[in-house]
Amino acid sequence: MVIIKRGFMLAAAILGVGLPSYGSLLTNGSFESGAFVPDPLYPGDDTMNLTVGATDMTGWTAENADLAWIGPSNPFGLSASDGGYFLDLSGFHDNAPYGGVQQTVSTTIGTQYRLSFDIGTDPAYDSAAVSVNVTGAGGPALFTSAPASPNRWETFTFDFTATSASTTIELDGQAATNEKYLGLDNVSLEAIPEPGTLVLVGGPGLLVFAVWRRFRKV
């Protein structure tokens, strides 16, 4: 039994070396951390107004126009798609121009990346579809979601190839009419594995299976 265990652990160790780990390159993609301070005039709203240039949210800079950073105890009937906090790019002004956020990350030239994010809508506040415009990462690219049901979150993805050692991800709200809610949450950026790296999964995996078959007979 000791031989079997040691053989399996050796193969598993090799498997661990052969499998690369991929995670989001963005900091605070769900807007959970930072210096969140609810508006003192409306503390019960659990919402903070962020002006252009604000860096209160860890990793992010507000741009384009004011936006609202909303907490989990807000009274609006809205909740985050991931975690407890999310953004309303329509801010307190509820009309165009809408707010946005940006973050710069290190990238590898020629490598493909996938940006994903959730857009939030609600027919109680939106009379028409709202959009998020992605720039700075091979864009512009516009993604639109319609308010089909209460507190609806829809996930979108955008693939691009890096052309420099750093890439600025910008996500700005847009709408054809003056809407009262344009949610943004769960933003992630990951490198897309090259097809050749998939062989590493099968190779070491077969090694573990082979070792298991070899030593199970001992």
Side-chain angles (χ1 to χ4, degrees):
M1 294 297 293
V2 174
I3 297 177
I4 297 175
K5 183 177 180 181
R6 288 178 179 174
F8 187 81
M9 289 177 64
L10 174 61
I14 297 175
L15 174 62
V17 173
L19 285 175
S21 177
Y22 298 97
S24 179
L25 301 175
L26 291 170
T27 299
N28 193 28
S30 291
F31 313 112
E32 298 298 302
S33 62
F36 181 82
V37 180
D39 188 327
L41 295 179
Y42 308 98
D45 287 353
D46 197 26
T47 300
M48 180 178 182
N49 181 65
L50 298 179
T51 59
V52 174
T55 57
D56 302 81
M57 291 184 300
T58 303
W60 296 97
T61 300
E63 65 176 20
N64 204 48
D66 288 6
L67 58 92
W69 186 11
I70 304 179
S73 63
N74 74 84
F76 310 122
L78 302 170
S79 59
S81 68
D82 184 63
Y85 294 80
F86 60 103
L87 302 184
D88 175 8
L89 301 183
S90 72
F92 286 105
H93 57 286
D94 295 333
N95 55 51
Y98 297 103
V101 290
Q102 67 165 276
Q103 183 174 150
T104 300
V105 297
S106 298
T107 49
T108 301
I109 297 175
T111 296
Q112 279 197 311
Y113 293 87
R114 176 163 294 159
L115 175 69
S116 65
F117 55 92
D118 296 344
I119 296 178
T121 57
D122 193 307
Y125 305 101
D126 298 318
S127 59
V130 298
S131 304
V132 167
N133 188 39
V134 176
T135 58
L142 193 66
F143 300 87
T144 301
S145 183
S149 59
N151 196 48
R152 178 175 185 254
W153 289 97
E154 187 174 2
T155 301
F156 297 87
T157 61
F158 174 62
D159 296 349
F160 67 94
T161 301
T163 58
S164 63
S166 65
T167 299
T168 299
I169 304 298
E170 298 180 72
L171 302 105
D172 299 308
Q174 286 192 15
T177 58
N178 295 332
E179 302 301 330
K180 296 180 176 61
Y181 175 55
L182 205 172
L184 178 67
D185 199 10
N186 196 28
V187 186
S188 177
L189 178 68
E190 297 184 357
I192 300 176
E194 296 181 4
T197 62
L198 299 179
V199 177
L200 295 176
V201 178
L206 292 176
L207 174 60
V208 172
F209 179 71
V211 170
W212 176 78
R213 288 197 61 185
R214 168 66 179 83
F215 286 99
R216 69 188 291 266
K217 299 178 180 180
V218 177

